[in-house]
């Protein structure tokens, strides 16, 4: 069984559902999808309701009977660790901090963490070709950060985690401790970069942050820059289907978008 973690607040649950459908399309072995969420008193975001996760679980089980979906509300963890942190309101949302608590709640040998704004383009079995037996995490370079931050700065939107190793080294707890005292713009990503001691840099096809290629495993709909015909910073997510088509010129996931409408008629519809 392949273990996958998706996390965030209720606003991005549509992304979690779309990503889950893409996982099931390409990955034919059983998967265990772990969903972590938070709700904190200092931010307006709300946690993903367990009822929504139950709906996703039904869809997953119907499509892949041996697969599983688990739900974790880690609000208490985040409140206890970050209520006095300079990073309690990070550049994006507190929901990005949720993944830092994964070793407290999930037990498995290897875990694939995926941001909610990712989509599978090939089977997750491709990750097994990456040897992380002596490393804490498998990562991909950050497309822009490698120029603006440091040449080996990685993007934490896709992580291949050696769970046994990170529990031995306390990687995620070290990252939490860093964030309790030091303000970072890309808070959890930078903390993981600074706290990690052994990494394997995977080919960019495992976290494709620009154009989809034939061997792309994960497409990440993250923020980017276009310079022509004029300078523009864009941030188009996969649930913004009209912009995915018109601006990004991506049609690879149209069947999944159609399936979402049929399977989740009571959830927010794609725009």
């Amino acid at each position: 069984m392949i273990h996958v973690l998706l996390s965030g607040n209720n606003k991005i649950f549509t992304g979690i559902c779309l990503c889950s459908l893409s996982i099931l399309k390409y990955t034919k072995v059983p998967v265990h999808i772990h969903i972590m969420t938070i709700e904190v008193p200092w931010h307006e975001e709300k946690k993903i309701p367990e009822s929504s996760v139950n709906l996703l679980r039904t869809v997953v089980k119907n499509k892949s009977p041996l697969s599983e979906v688990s739900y974790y509300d880690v609000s208490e963890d985040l409140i206890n660790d970050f209520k006095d942190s300079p990073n309690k309101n990070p550049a994006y949302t507190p929901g990005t901090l949720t993944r830092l608590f994964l070793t407290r709640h999930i037990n498995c040998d290897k875990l694939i963490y995926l941001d909610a704004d990712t989509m599978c383009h090939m089977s997750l079995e491709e990750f097994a070709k990456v040897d992380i037996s002596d490393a804490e995490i498998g990562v991909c370079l950050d497309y822009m950060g490698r120029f603006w931050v440091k040449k080996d700065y990685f993007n934490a939107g896709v992580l291949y985690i050696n769970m046994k190793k990170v529990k031995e080294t306390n990687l995620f707890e070290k990252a939490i401790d860093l964030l309790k005292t030091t303000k970072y713009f890309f808070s959890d990503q930078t903390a993981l970069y600074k706290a990690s001691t052994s990494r394997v840099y995977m080919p960019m096809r495992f976290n494709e942050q620009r154009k989809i290629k034939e061997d792309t495993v994960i497409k990440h709909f993250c923020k980017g820059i276009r310079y022509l015909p004029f300078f523009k910073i864009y941030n188009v997510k996969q649930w913004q289907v009209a912009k995915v088509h018109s601006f990004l010129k991506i049609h690879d996931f149209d069947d999944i978008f159609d399936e979402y409408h049929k399977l989740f008629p009571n959830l927010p519809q794609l725009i």
Side-chain angles (χ1 to χ4, degrees), residues 16 18-19 57 60 67 69 71-72 142 149 165 168 172 199 202 211 226 249:
I16 288 176
L18 288 170
C19 183
R57 181 181 292 111
V60 169
S67 294
V69 176
Y71 173 84
Y72 312 85
D142 188 273
V149 183
K165 189 78 169 178
E168 290 174 353
F172 287 87
R199 315 171 198 137
M202 303 185 293
K211 290 185 177 181
R226 284 192 180 175
K249 309 298 184 186

Side-chain angles (χ1 to χ4, degrees), residues 42-106:
W42 60 79
H43 199 277
E44 63 183 7
E45 67 183 18
K46 301 298 181 182
K47 65 184 178 182
I48 300 167
E50 191 164 6
S51 57
S52 296
V53 175
N54 287 339
L55 176 60
L56 176 60
R57 181 181 292 111
T58 299
V59 169
V60 169
K61 296 292 283 186
N62 285 339
K63 294 177 72 66
S64 177
L66 296 179
S67 294
E68 301 288 344
V69 176
S70 294
Y71 173 84
Y72 312 85
D73 177 356
V74 297
S75 302
E76 187 174 340
D77 294 90
L78 196 140
I79 292 169
N80 290 339
D81 281 295
F82 286 96
K83 63 180 183 295
D84 299 317
S85 166
N87 297 283
K88 72 177 186 178
N89 281 309
Y92 291 95
T93 73
T96 60
L97 303 170
T98 307
R99 56 186 158 183
L100 296 178
F101 305 109
L102 60 90
T103 54
R104 300 182 187 179
H105 298 275
I106 299 175

Side-chain angles (χ1 to χ4, degrees), residues 4-8 16 19-20 23 33-36 113-116:
V4 184
L5 171 62
L6 294 154
S7 66
I16 288 176
C19 183
S20 297
I23 291 171
I33 300 173
H34 303 265
I35 298 176
M36 281 188 171
Y113 168 79
L114 299 175
D115 271 357

Side-chain angles (χ1 to χ4, degrees), residues 18 21-22 24-26 28 63 119-121 241 245 250-263 270:
L18 288 170
L21 290 177
S22 71
L24 296 174
K25 175 182 176 179
Y26 291 104
K28 300 309 179 184
K63 294 177 72 66
M119 295 285 281
C120 284
H121 197 258
V241 176
H245 288 162
I250 292 175
H251 290 269
D252 299 61
F253 307 110
D254 285 1
D255 57 333
I256 295 172
F257 298 151
D258 290 341
E259 188 177 30
Y260 173 88
H261 285 295
K262 296 174 183 176
L263 295 174
L270 308 179

Side-chain angles (χ1 to χ4, degrees), residues 224-234 247:
I225 294 176
R226 284 192 180 175
Y227 295 95
L228 296 173
F230 51 85
F231 181 86
K232 181 180 180 64
I233 297 175
Y234 65 88
F247 186 79

